[in-house]
Amino acid sequence: MNIDVFPLIFGSVMGLVTSYTDLKTGFIFDNHVSLSLVLLGKLLGWEEKDIKLDIPSWLEKLPIPAVEVGILYYLYKGLSTGDLLVALSGFLAFFVGLMLGLVLFYMGAWASGDALILAGFSALLPYPPKMATVVAPYYSRLPLYPVAILFNSLLAVFPFIIVYTLAVVVVRKKTGALKEIFVEKSLITVKLSVLLLASLGFKLLVETLTGYRMGPAIGWLFAVVIIVLLGKFEKVGIPVSLAVLGYLIYINPIPTLLAFFRLLVVLYSFKVFLALVKFLRVEVLMEEVPVEELREWDILGETIYELEGQLVRDRTSFWDKIKDALLKGDTGFLKKQEGRIIASPTAEGLTKEQSEELKKLVEEGKLENRFLRKKAMPFAPAIFLGFLISYFWGDIFWWLELKVLGL
């Protein structure tokens, strides 16, 4: 049997099983992604979920060593060709995918199981396979294809998110949210489009004057520096950017205008996507419930802690903390939480002891009987779809970049 099909076979089995369990129960089982993780959990004494679920017991216990297959497959492939990076790529890509998934988890968009699934697919697909034809050149050298899997997963469900969010807006009669989603901050996409094309103009100018042609990595780094400088000094940067854009239109009108329009459409689409995700996170994926409805394993949407004898409730999202840190230059949110943590949004969810303490604090009148709880949303099918797109076609985001450039 051709071992080159192993990533596809094990990825498909893992994707089908995890998609089913996620849709049916809202749970992702470690043994459906990695057997090593299950063994590690037993060695470390991790508490197992003792919950009766409406799926066959054999399916719940079905072992799928997807991560191990990916790591061993690329280890064999790398050692047989003498390429150390390829030999380690399954292992490295696993951690790349895990880190990407955990970022979305701490932003409140994903559950911990979704991060594990992305890590599993990443171990199976650190590089683009031969079937994929639309891929960025840098994916062929570094095991960073998990980035493509993630973007494919998000972009593939974009139409569904739009329809679902609009349906929620209509049902809940929150028509004011439409302005926030489709109108607010739209001017930022225009400014960013102008800055991006202006950075391209500066790049062409530098290359013309120096005779040095920048490579992809240096070109992107140069563009980022120019955009940051022009954006930071906006009063001067915007007029300069408009002047550069005007010059590009003068020397090459049609291609420049088409590139600007395509770029504007892509950036506006991302703006809408982020606004939709924010609306879903706040209005759909989060609910306020009394302590009587909190169950063991539920994930809170707030941190409750005791500091100097006072109870404090922090409902600031991880995304808002990052935004404040970038705007104010304050990285204080990265520091360890002071005081005694009573309950927080951990991947393990609420323990029995934490639930009992919250009930006691409510009964004593020390806490208001309203708690934010994250609602589960099945992302496993979307991540599986992203894996299949990455395997058989390529990178949607790179395709969009090519379209923006008119290629």
Side-chain angles (χ1 to χ4, degrees):
M1 184 179 181
N2 186 357
I3 65 170
D4 288 342
V5 300
F6 277 14
L8 176 61
I9 292 174
F10 280 86
S12 298
V13 173
M14 182 185 77
L16 289 171
V17 173
T18 54
S19 295
Y20 175 79
T21 60
D22 197 15
L23 288 168
K24 186 75 173 178
T25 69
F27 283 103
I28 303 298
F29 299 92
D30 294 344
N31 53 289
H32 291 163
V33 180
S34 170
L35 301 187
S36 301
L37 190 61
V38 176
L39 179 60
L40 179 64
K42 291 184 180 295
L43 291 175
L44 296 178
W46 292 348
E47 190 176 354
E48 297 182 358
K49 294 179 172 68
D50 186 19
I51 301 175
K52 293 183 179 180
L53 301 172
D54 186 23
I55 59 173
S57 58
W58 66 265
L59 180 61
E60 184 177 339
K61 298 176 182 179
L62 178 68
I64 304 176
V67 171
E68 291 77 10
V69 167
I71 291 175
L72 292 175
Y73 170 78
Y74 287 99
L75 179 64
Y76 167 80
K77 193 172 181 179
L79 292 178
S80 62
T81 58
D83 192 324
L84 181 60
L85 184 58
V86 172
L88 298 176
S89 62
F91 183 77
L92 295 174
F94 170 80
F95 281 101
V96 171
L98 185 62
M99 292 302 103
L100 291 172
L102 288 177
V103 168
L104 288 175
F105 165 72
Y106 284 111
M107 285 172 57
W110 273 13
S112 58
D114 300 321
L116 180 60
I117 294 173
L118 179 62
F121 284 131
S122 300
L124 290 166
L125 216 59
Y127 295 104
K130 295 178 181 178
M131 296 285 290
T133 56
V134 184
V135 291
Y138 42 81
Y139 287 139
S140 62
R141 297 187 293 272
L142 298 172
L144 296 176
Y145 207 47
V147 178
I149 299 174
L150 173 61
F151 276 118
N152 285 346
S153 303
L154 298 176
L155 293 172
V157 297
F158 185 53
F160 166 77
I161 290 178
I162 290 179
V163 173
Y164 184 73
T165 304
L166 292 179
V168 171
V169 168
V170 172
V171 171
R172 298 187 180 181
K173 299 180 180 179
K174 296 203 172 204
T175 53
L178 294 175
K179 180 180 178 182
E180 182 178 350
I181 294 171
F182 294 103
V183 179
E184 287 186 6
K185 299 182 180 179
S186 296
L187 185 59
I188 294 178
T189 62
V190 178
K191 289 182 179 178
L192 188 54
S193 299
V194 172
L195 292 174
L196 279 169
L197 282 184
S199 69
L200 177 61
F202 278 108
K203 175 176 174 290
L204 293 174
L205 178 63
V206 170
E207 289 179 341
T208 301
L209 294 175
T210 63
Y212 171 72
R213 186 171 179 80
M214 301 181 193
I218 297 178
W220 277 109
L221 180 61
F222 178 83
V224 170
V225 172
I226 292 297
I227 291 170
V228 171
L229 290 175
L230 293 175
K232 184 175 181 63
F233 304 100
E234 188 173 312
K235 290 184 178 180
V236 176
I238 295 299
V240 170
S241 300
L242 289 172
V244 173
L245 179 59
Y247 177 72
L248 291 175
I249 294 174
Y250 172 73
I251 62 174
N252 211 353
I254 302 301
T256 302
L257 289 172
L258 286 175
F260 179 75
F261 176 74
R262 293 190 188 100
L263 185 60
L264 187 60
V265 169
V266 171
L267 292 177
Y268 177 76
S269 298
F270 272 100
K271 177 263 175 214
V272 171
F273 177 77
L274 293 174
L276 289 170
V277 170
K278 180 181 178 181
F279 178 83
L280 283 174
R281 178 171 55 82
V282 176
E283 299 291 341
V284 180
L285 300 181
M286 200 79 72
E287 59 184 349
E288 197 172 46
V289 297
V291 72
E292 292 78 17
E293 294 185 20
L294 287 178
R295 302 183 303 272
E296 193 175 354
W297 312 115
D298 278 347
I299 298 178
L300 287 183
E302 60 181 307
T303 299
I304 302 171
Y305 60 98
E306 185 178 19
L307 181 63
E308 298 179 354
Q310 299 293 322
L311 291 177
V312 183
R313 304 180 76 155
D314 183 5
R315 292 190 169 188
T316 308
S317 70
F318 182 77
W319 179 252
D320 288 335
K321 289 179 181 178
I322 290 180
K323 184 174 67 174
D324 290 342
L326 292 174
L327 293 176
K328 301 176 183 178
D330 181 13
T331 58
F333 78 99
L334 295 173
K335 298 177 183 178
K336 186 177 179 182
Q337 180 70 60
E338 297 181 0
R340 182 178 70 90
I341 302 294
I342 298 173
S344 61
T346 61
E348 296 79 14
L350 282 174
T351 64
K352 185 177 180 181
E353 292 75 17
Q354 288 175 327
S355 298
E356 290 176 351
E357 183 172 3
L358 291 177
K359 289 179 181 178
K360 182 179 178 181
L361 291 171
V362 169
E363 290 172 357
E364 294 174 352
K366 296 180 179 179
L367 277 179
E368 183 184 358
N369 193 14
R370 307 301 298 176
F371 297 87
L372 287 183
R373 178 175 66 183
K374 293 184 179 181
K375 295 169 66 176
M377 191 170 185
F379 277 103
I383 305 173
F384 181 34
L385 180 58
F387 168 78
L388 293 176
I389 294 172
S390 302
Y391 192 96
F392 289 104
W393 187 71
D395 182 4
I396 297 177
F397 188 72
W398 178 248
W399 177 79
L400 289 173
E401 287 189 64
L402 293 177
K403 292 302 178 184
V404 168
L405 296 174
L407 301 175

